[in-house]
Amino acid sequence: MSQPRHIPYDAWGHRIDKLVLTEAWTRLKQFAATEGLVATGYKDRPNLSPFHRIIQCTKLYLFSPSSGLYSCPLAMTDGAAKCIEQLNNEFKDDIIVEAYSRLTSRDHSQFWTSGQWMTEPAGGSDVAMATQTQAVPLNNGTNDYKLYGYKWFSSATDSDMALTLARDSEAENRLSLFYLETHLKSDINKLNGIQIQRLKDKLGTRQLPTAELLLDGTIARRISPPGRGVAHIAPMLNITRLHNSISAASVMRRVLELAKDYSTHPRSLVNYFHTFHYI
């Protein structure tokens, strides 16, 4: 699969931060929605209950080795849906209700993917210490804020929304959980106070757009209690770990099957490999 490209400026020098993706990547999103690779995990078809998660995991196991790494944004999308599902039991918010509907949709024209923007330049797995992004309240009678910070590693940069952590000035600078949409509602072609600084030059997974992002007044909504961001993003982390386990097992199985097939075809010096106990 071809690699994504980042075009920071147009011919007139205006900042556009355009991501150029392949048709195959776009079609994988459509396929994922139609097959319900996220939706199946959320009881969208009552006749599947109580086995909806098992059926979803089985489909992900079959999809992952041939997914061109589209399994990565699906993992974060599933995690965001689970996180919002649990949060919505506490906070009824029309914006996140719509987001949940899109994340779990089987209609590819409505389906959204989500990012999980955690890592910052300070690095480390202790996000409570490493997160430096600041959240400034808009004081407009809602839980809307503007975010200012630098996200060092944001996989699925082409996602429609993201969940992220930031230091909340309304919570003694502790971390709260925020929901944001990557593009403006008023102009879907413009990013929401986000600048793509560069795409990561990675050793592997190069077809997946991963970037460093500058948040410069990004409009976001706090969806956790003040200062309780880490606790409320935990369901997202747990679901993405499940996806990673499924992907690892399925890819290893694919490699094993390819090795077995190769070893059983007559070739010089290798046609006896299938007799080895580790094959």
Side-chain angles (χ1 to χ4, degrees), residues 60-81:
L60 290 170
Y61 182 87
L62 297 173
F63 173 72
S64 185
S66 304
S67 69
L69 214 71
Y70 205 79
S71 53
C72 176
L74 292 183
M76 292 182 288
T77 300
D78 194 357

Side-chain angles (χ1 to χ4, degrees), residues 13-181:
H14 301 135
R15 186 99 197 189
I16 57 173
D17 284 315
K18 181 180 179 180
L19 273 178
V20 180
L21 306 169
T22 64
E23 181 185 355
W25 190 257
T26 303
R27 291 178 65 185
L28 280 168
K29 182 179 182 180
Q30 297 172 356
F31 177 85
T34 304
E35 288 295 322
L37 295 181
V38 175
T40 303
Y42 292 90
K43 303 181 181 179
D44 70 323
R45 294 187 175 176
N47 60 307
L48 300 181
S49 186
F51 307 109
H52 52 94
R53 272 292 174 188
I54 296 174
I55 295 170
Q56 180 201 30
C57 290
T58 303
K59 296 182 79 169
L60 290 170
Y61 182 87
L62 297 173
F63 173 72
S64 185
S66 304
S67 69
L69 214 71
Y70 205 79
S71 53
C72 176
L74 292 183
M76 292 182 288
T77 300
D78 194 357
K82 174 55 69 174
C83 195
I84 289 174
E85 181 184 59
Q86 295 193 5
L87 281 166
N88 199 41
N89 292 330
E90 303 176 41
F91 303 96
K92 298 298 181 182
D93 188 309
D94 290 343
I95 288 181
I96 63 172
V97 168
E98 179 190 0
Y100 177 80
S101 174
R102 288 181 176 273
L103 293 171
T104 58
S105 176
R106 289 177 180 264
D107 181 349
H108 66 80
S109 67
Q110 297 295 314
F111 179 60
W112 276 4
T113 57
S114 175
Q116 173 187 306
W117 298 352
M118 303 281 284
T119 308
E120 299 201 4
S125 58
D126 187 355
V127 294
M129 295 297 294
T131 300
Q132 299 172 341
T133 297
Q134 294 291 322
V136 180
L138 294 183
N139 295 320
N140 60 356
T142 69
N143 287 328
D144 290 343
Y145 286 68
K146 284 189 175 182
L147 304 185
Y148 297 89
Y150 199 97
K151 295 299 180 178
W152 181 251
F153 196 91
S154 60
S155 289
T157 307
D158 61 319
S159 61
D160 303 282
M161 55 156 284
L163 298 184
T164 190
L165 298 174
R167 298 207 171 275
D168 189 349
S169 59
E170 298 287 286
E172 300 178 345
N173 229 28
R174 290 174 290 137
L175 295 179
S176 295
L177 176 61
F178 293 88
Y179 159 86
L180 64 91
E181 296 175 14

